[in-house]
Amino acid sequence: MNRARHIAIIMDGNGRWAELKDKKRVKGHEAGGRVVKEITTYCSNNKDIERLTLYAFSTENWKRPRLEVEFLMKLLEKYLKDELENYIKNNIRFEPIGDLRAFSKSLRKTIQNIQEKTAHCDGLVQSLALNYGAQDEILRALNSIKNSEKDITEAMLSNALDCKHSVDLLIRTGGDHRLSNFLLWQAAYAELFFTDTLWPDFTTNELEKIIKDFKKIERRFGGLK
Ligand code: FPP
């Protein structure tokens, strides 16, 4: 039976969730942050799951209104600070991916601090994709190895990426059926699950059901049965 060792999630639908409730969009992000915590804790208690990669802020998200971007930055910083204790209690290692150079000094310091303080944890790895875009990740990786004397191999490129781990199960909430520049290299053989549930309404029960369905799939990786 398949094991969902690496789960990746495109957390979409925060804004619509808030609008449906006549609230400001940022309230949806706040509610989304609470779901990040719940889903991460659930995954840390599931021995099959080694890695959870969450799309928290894309290279394209800077195009949003300035106040929404600022809110997301503050929310992220608060989340990381508030969660440090839980990361350690649940033995979760925090590993960001993305180009962190774009963030404020204070946020970068917080990110680095959480990374250092959880470096010894050997349970679930929670990876937040921050200022992340797969095309940008691949370009940065290629630039870092372009002066190699030998031809670039799959393994070399893979090792130069921010995320060096192939994805088993990729979930997108919020009803759209696209990858939005998320883990394009790592998801080459991922099983894709799309749900109409808006991220703030996503539950551990729904995740459990998706994992159950994932386990039944016959994965052939391009080969035969
Ligand atoms: C999409 O909702 C979601 C994001 C822009 C990023 C995800 C952010 C969170 C889950 C909040 C906080 C995260 C952490 C780690 C504290 P959307 O605004 O695109 O929704 P819409 O498609 O309904 O407009």
Side-chain angles (χ1 to χ4, degrees):
M1 203 150 17
N2 299 320
R3 276 178 62 198
R5 288 190 177 88
H6 184 183
I7 298 179
I9 309 183
I10 301 174
M11 308 180 288
D12 198 14
N14 294 347
R16 278 166 286 162
W17 180 89
E19 278 154 19
L20 281 170
K21 293 187 151 42
D22 265 334
K23 293 182 179 178
K24 295 213 167 94
R25 288 178 55 81
V26 293
K27 288 285 165 200
H29 295 316
E30 234 167 49
R34 292 192 284 275
V35 178
V36 169
K37 178 182 166 126
E38 256 173 56
I39 296 295
T40 301
T41 307
Y42 169 85
C43 290
S44 73
N45 289 317
N46 180 325
K47 291 287 160 251
D48 274 352
I49 307 170
E50 295 166 6
R51 195 168 276 274
L52 173 67
T53 303
L54 302 171
Y55 210 178
F57 194 85
S58 78
T59 46
E60 284 72 40
N61 284 154
W62 298 105
K63 294 182 208 150
R64 294 188 175 211
R66 184 177 56 86
L67 286 179
E68 185 170 340
V69 170
E70 277 174 19
F71 184 90
L72 280 167
M73 295 298 130
K74 284 204 191 104
L75 182 64
L76 180 64
E77 191 156 0
K78 181 171 177 345
Y79 176 87
L80 290 172
K81 286 181 174 161
D82 290 352
E83 281 308 293
L84 177 58
E85 222 175 281
N86 276 322
Y87 278 113
I88 294 176
K89 190 177 93 196
N90 294 310
N91 197 21
I92 299 168
R93 189 160 83 242
F94 169 66
E95 272 183 15
I97 58 169
D99 187 350
L100 305 180
R101 293 172 297 183
F103 294 119
S104 70
K105 218 169 155 184
S106 152
L107 180 52
R108 273 184 287 150
K109 219 171 123 190
T110 303
I111 290 171
Q112 196 187 344
N113 183 45
I114 309 296
Q115 219 177 335
E116 283 169 12
K117 297 249 166 69
T118 62
H120 65 282
C121 297
D122 61 1
L124 179 78
V125 178
Q126 185 219 45
S127 199
L128 292 186
L130 301 170
N131 189 30
Y132 176 89
Q135 292 174 339
D136 176 67
E137 177 192 35
I138 293 168
L139 274 180
R140 283 186 287 108
L142 283 172
N143 277 313
S144 74
I145 54 178
K146 70 177 179 207
N147 293 329
S148 148
E149 290 182 356
K150 297 188 193 139
D151 283 353
I152 294 172
T153 62
E154 257 182 51
M156 273 164 75
L157 179 55
S158 210
N159 263 317
L161 293 170
D162 300 342
C163 173
K164 306 173 198 336
H165 310 270
S166 60
V167 173
D168 297 303
L169 168 57
L170 191 147
I171 300 166
R172 180 178 187 133
T173 64
D176 286 326
H177 294 197
R178 54 175 172 260
L179 294 179
S180 298
N181 203 10
F182 190 44
L183 300 173
L184 299 181
W185 176 274
Q186 299 85 344
Y189 282 100
E191 300 298 333
L192 309 181
F193 281 73
F194 299 96
T195 167
D196 288 338
T197 305
L198 304 172
W199 176 251
D201 288 330
F202 193 68
T203 60
T204 54
N205 275 347
E206 184 165 5
L207 176 59
E208 225 165 49
K209 192 178 165 300
I210 291 174
I211 293 174
K212 213 168 141 200
D213 291 345
F214 163 85
K215 283 185 173 167
K216 289 189 226 143
I217 295 171
E218 188 195 318
R219 300 181 81 198
R220 294 190 298 273
F221 300 95
L224 298 177
K225 202 171 163 193

